[in-house]
Amino acid sequence: MSRIISLISPIRSRVAVVRENQFIYREFTPLTSSIIKRHASGKTREEYVINRIQRKRADAQLGGGPEKIEIQHKKGKLTARERIDLLLDQGSFNEYDTFVEHQCVDFGMDQNKITGDGVVTGHGTINGRRVFVFSQDFTAFGGSLSRMNAEKICKIMDKAVLVGAPVIGLNDSGGARIQEGVDSLAGYAEIFERNVLCSGVVPQISLIMGPCAGGAVYSPALTDFTFMVRDTSYLFVTGPDVVKAVCNEEVTQEELGGARAHTVLSGVAHNAFENDIEALQRVRDFFDFLPLSNREPAPVRYSDDSSHREDFSLDHIIPVDSTKAYDIRDVITRIVDEGNFFEIMPDFAKNIVIGFARMEGQTVSLVGNQPLVSSGVLDINASVKAARWVRFCDAFNIPIITLVDVPGFLPGTAQEHNGIIRHGAKLLFAYAEATVPKITIITRKAYGGAYDVMSSKHLRGDINYAWPTSEIAVMGAKGAVEIIFRHFANPLPAAARGFIDDIILPAVTRRRIIEDLAVLKTKKLTNPSKKHSNCPL
C-alpha cells in the first residue's frame, strides 16, 4: 500500500509517494495563488504580523533551501522533515521551536540565519504511541550543532522524561558549528548529560542517517540502540584526514566509520539498513516492542498463535552427535509468537544471539548461545553484547528468556590479555543484578563457569529447565573427561540438587514458558539499597 506525504513550500507543492521502498516526487502548481505576500499598505498590523509568521514558518519548512534539498536527494538521502513524516504516524507530528535561530554574531553569522537552525524537534506517535523526536537538517549549516540547536534537542529530551516517552534522534550532522566555539561544545555536553539522565528511564534510539563525527558520536553511544544506513552514514571520533596526518594511514570514511565497521567489527551500532526508507520503517517495527518508559509495561499485541501450541520438530532439532552444530534461531522462531523474531546486532559477536519476540502477545527478550559460530563459546565480544542487552531489558521490565548451549569461555592469550575475565564478569553481573522474570532452558551443553553465567539458578534464575539432550558438567583435564561425562554430563544430577526445576520435552517449551510468564507477572524483587552498583566496566 502506498503512503502519501505532502511536503509544502512557499514556492511549489510536492507530494512524495512511498511505494515499495521508493521515494517518488510529483510536483504540481498549487490550486491557489495566495502565496504569502509581504506587508502592503492598507493591511492592519495584526495581518502584517500573521503574514510574517506564516512566511517564517514556510522558510522553516524549506530548511537550507531548494538547492540544498536537491543535493540531499541526489545523495540518496531524505530531508529532516521527510524522515519525520515517514517515521511518525501521518499527521501526528507537533513541532517545537519552529522559529528558533542562532544568536551568533561572529564571522558574519548575524547575516546568515536559517529559521529552525538546522534541527527539527517535536513529538508525535508511532502506531498510536507517543514518542519525542529530533531530526538534524543537513541542508541547514550542514546540520551542525549550535547553542540554540542544542537547546531545542535538550528541551524535547526533558519533556520525554517528564511525561514518560521514548526519544528517537535522527542524526545527520557535520559536527560542531565552529563559528560558535565553546558554545557548541557546551551544547554537546548538555545533550550528553540528558542522555545519561534519560538512561533507564525512557528508551533512547539513535538512527545515523549521515555523518556523525567528533564529539557528536558520544550521544548515540550513550543511547540504548544505534542503527545506521549503509553507504550514507558514518561514525568516527576523528576523520580520515586526521588519521592520515597523525597515523600516516590511508583510510576511507566507509572503512573508518561506515555501517560495516560498526555493525561487524566494533559493535557500536546494533544494525544497518539499505536506505533511509527501510531504516525508518524498521525502527517503527522495533519501537512496537518497547515500553514507553520504565513506569509502563511493554505493549501487548494480539496473536492467533495458541499458547498451548507444541512443536514436535523441536524434539529432533538437536543433533545426536554433540559435536554437530544447529541454528539456535530455529529454536527461537519455533517457540515465539508466529515465528517473529527481531534480532539485534546480528552481524557482531555471532556466537551469541539476542533480540525481541512476543509470547502470547507479550514482549520478551531472547538470549541464546549460537552453536553455528565457534560452538557458541563465550568470548569478550559476546559477553559485552549480551551484558548490555540484559541490563537494558532489566531496566525496562522485559522478561529474559535464555537458551543455553555453551561449552565455556574461549581460551587463549588474546582473550586473556584483552580482559576476558573482566568482560565475562559483565555478563555475570548483568544476570545476577537483574530482577525481571528470568527463564532459562538448557538445550545441550552447559559447561564450567559459563553454566553459572548464563542465567543459572544460582544467579536468581526464576525457572530453569533442561532438555533431555542437555549436558551439565564441570570441564576439567582430558584424563577426567570420561569420568565426568559418565556420571555428570546429563541433567539428572543438577535436577537432583534443585538446580534444574524440571527436565522437559522440547516440544512443550513454548507452553511451559508462557505458563511461567503468567506466574511471574506479579514478581516483586528488589536489590539492596545503594547509590549505584559498580559494574566491572
Side-chain angles (χ1 to χ4, degrees):
M1 181 180 294
S2 300
R3 185 177 173 200
I4 299 177
I5 303 163
S6 180
L7 307 172
I8 309 297
S9 83
I11 299 173
R12 63 184 181 274
S13 292
R14 174 179 281 181
V15 170
V17 181
V18 179
R19 182 185 297 114
E20 298 176 354
N21 270 9
Q22 291 183 331
F23 211 82
I24 305 167
Y25 292 102
R26 297 175 185 168
E27 294 184 6
F28 62 92
T29 303
L31 295 177
T32 175
S33 61
S34 58
I35 297 174
I36 302 165
K37 299 183 189 226
R38 296 189 178 275
H39 171 57
S41 60
K43 288 194 174 182
T44 66
R45 183 177 183 278
E46 182 180 356
E47 288 175 323
Y48 168 73
V49 172
I50 291 173
N51 284 345
R52 188 179 178 192
I53 291 171
Q54 290 174 333
R55 189 165 61 249
K56 278 287 187 183
R57 195 181 298 277
D59 289 343
Q61 296 290 322
L62 277 178
E67 291 182 2
K68 295 288 183 67
I69 291 174
E70 201 61 37
I71 292 172
Q72 184 86 341
H73 290 158
K74 285 181 179 178
K75 292 179 181 177
K77 296 161 62 177
L78 302 179
T79 66
R81 292 182 180 277
E82 290 166 354
R83 288 165 175 164
I84 289 175
D85 286 336
L86 282 179
L87 176 66
L88 302 180
D89 296 339
Q90 190 170 0
S92 70
F93 182 56
N94 291 284
E95 185 173 354
Y96 289 156
D97 296 326
T98 305
F99 305 107
V100 162
E101 295 176 345
H102 70 75
Q103 305 301 306
C104 180
V105 296
D106 299 324
F107 307 103
M109 289 296 288
D110 55 328
Q111 302 299 316
N112 185 16
K113 295 190 177 186
I114 297 176
T115 306
D117 203 35
V119 66
V120 182
T121 61
H123 66 83
T125 59
I126 295 178
N127 294 325
R129 302 170 69 231
R130 182 68 52 203
V131 62
F132 285 80
V133 62
F134 69 86
S135 183
Q136 293 176 326
D137 186 355
F138 197 79
T139 71
F141 304 117
S144 58
L145 191 94
S146 68
R147 181 174 65 85
M148 297 306 298
N149 184 304
E151 286 184 8
K152 289 179 66 172
I153 295 172
C154 290
K155 180 185 286 188
I156 64 114
M157 295 179 76
D158 289 340
K159 288 187 180 295
V161 172
L162 186 66
V163 305
V167 178
I168 299 179
L170 308 181
N171 294 264
D172 188 359
S173 168
R177 193 170 300 173
I178 58 175
Q179 294 90 339
E180 296 204 14
V182 72
D183 276 350
S184 180
L185 298 180
Y188 277 125
E190 292 284 353
I191 294 171
F192 301 157
E193 174 72 6
R194 283 161 175 81
N195 287 136
V196 173
L197 296 179
C198 287
S199 181
V201 180
V202 295
Q204 300 178 80
I205 301 171
S206 295
L207 183 49
I208 314 302
M209 311 189 80
C212 185
V217 300
Y218 291 109
S219 179
L222 289 168
T223 60
D224 299 306
F225 299 99
T226 301
F227 300 109
M228 299 183 72
V229 180
R230 294 188 179 94
D231 301 324
T232 60
S233 65
Y234 310 100
L235 275 167
F236 39 67
V237 177
T238 53
D241 293 340
V242 176
V243 170
K244 182 178 180 180
V246 176
C247 306
N248 196 28
E249 182 182 352
E250 294 276 357
V251 64
T252 65
Q253 283 189 328
E254 183 64 30
E255 292 168 337
L256 182 63
R260 183 183 181 278
H262 290 308
T263 57
V264 178
L265 304 177
S266 74
V268 168
H270 293 77
N271 210 341
F273 307 106
E274 291 301 323
N275 53 56
D276 283 12
I277 295 171
E278 182 192 0
L280 294 163
Q281 290 174 340
R282 292 293 283 162
V283 168
R284 282 178 61 90
D285 295 339
F286 177 69
F287 182 83
D288 277 351
F289 288 102
L290 303 176
L292 294 180
S293 72
N294 61 1
R295 306 192 299 261
E296 298 285 337
V300 176
R301 296 285 184 256
Y302 173 77
S303 174
D304 289 325
D305 202 346
S306 171
S307 60
H308 300 289
R309 173 174 60 82
E310 297 182 358
D311 192 326
F312 293 98
S313 66
L314 288 171
D315 290 339
H316 310 288
I317 203 166
I318 306 296
V320 175
D321 185 347
S322 63
T323 63
K324 289 188 176 180
Y326 63 95
D327 193 338
I328 196 66
R329 289 171 297 194
D330 290 339
V331 176
I332 292 172
T333 56
R334 283 169 168 79
I335 64 175
V336 301
D337 289 354
E338 298 160 357
N340 182 20
F341 176 55
F342 195 110
E343 187 174 357
I344 298 296
M345 303 181 81
D347 300 317
F348 178 75
K350 293 184 177 182
N351 42 325
I352 200 160
V353 172
I354 60 174
F356 281 131
R358 294 186 180 89
M359 301 198 77
E360 202 173 25
Q362 176 184 355
T363 295
V364 295
S365 159
L366 276 299
V367 181
N369 306 109
Q370 176 57 289
L372 279 181
V373 181
S374 303
S375 300
V377 69
L378 284 176
D379 59 11
I380 290 172
N381 287 343
S383 298
V384 173
K385 170 182 172 179
R388 183 160 171 78
W389 175 251
V390 168
R391 298 200 83 198
F392 171 83
C393 295
D394 183 49
F396 289 99
N397 307 306
I398 300 171
I400 301 168
I401 299 168
T402 305
L403 303 175
V404 182
D405 189 347
V406 60
F409 284 93
L410 183 64
T413 55
Q415 289 288 304
E416 296 291 352
H417 294 173
N418 284 292
I420 183 61
I421 296 173
R422 174 166 49 89
H423 294 297
K426 293 177 182 177
L427 181 56
L428 190 158
F429 192 103
Y431 268 123
E433 184 184 44
T435 59
V436 294
K438 293 182 288 188
I439 300 173
T440 304
I441 301 96
I442 301 173
T443 61
R444 189 165 61 179
K445 301 180 297 294
Y447 295 161
Y451 153 73
D452 284 329
V453 169
M454 294 297 294
S455 196
S456 64
K457 179 66 72 176
H458 324 291
L459 300 183
R460 301 191 298 185
D462 293 301
I463 304 293
N464 293 70
Y465 293 127
W467 286 1
T469 50
S470 62
E471 303 168 359
I472 305 170
V474 176
M475 294 299 290
K478 184 179 178 182
V481 167
E482 288 186 10
I483 298 174
I484 291 171
F485 268 63
R486 184 163 58 248
H487 294 287
F488 298 107
N490 65 75
L492 286 173
R497 290 162 173 79
F499 301 155
I500 297 296
D501 293 299
D502 199 358
I503 302 170
I504 64 172
L505 293 175
V508 304
T509 301
R510 170 180 167 82
R511 174 171 59 82
R512 293 296 292 269
I513 291 175
I514 290 175
E515 290 171 354
D516 293 328
L517 287 173
V519 172
L520 294 169
K521 198 168 186 179
T522 55
K523 174 185 175 181
K524 299 291 183 184
L525 177 64
T526 57
N527 291 323
S529 177
K530 64 185 85 172
K531 183 175 181 180
H532 60 73
S533 57
N534 186 21
C535 181
L537 297 174

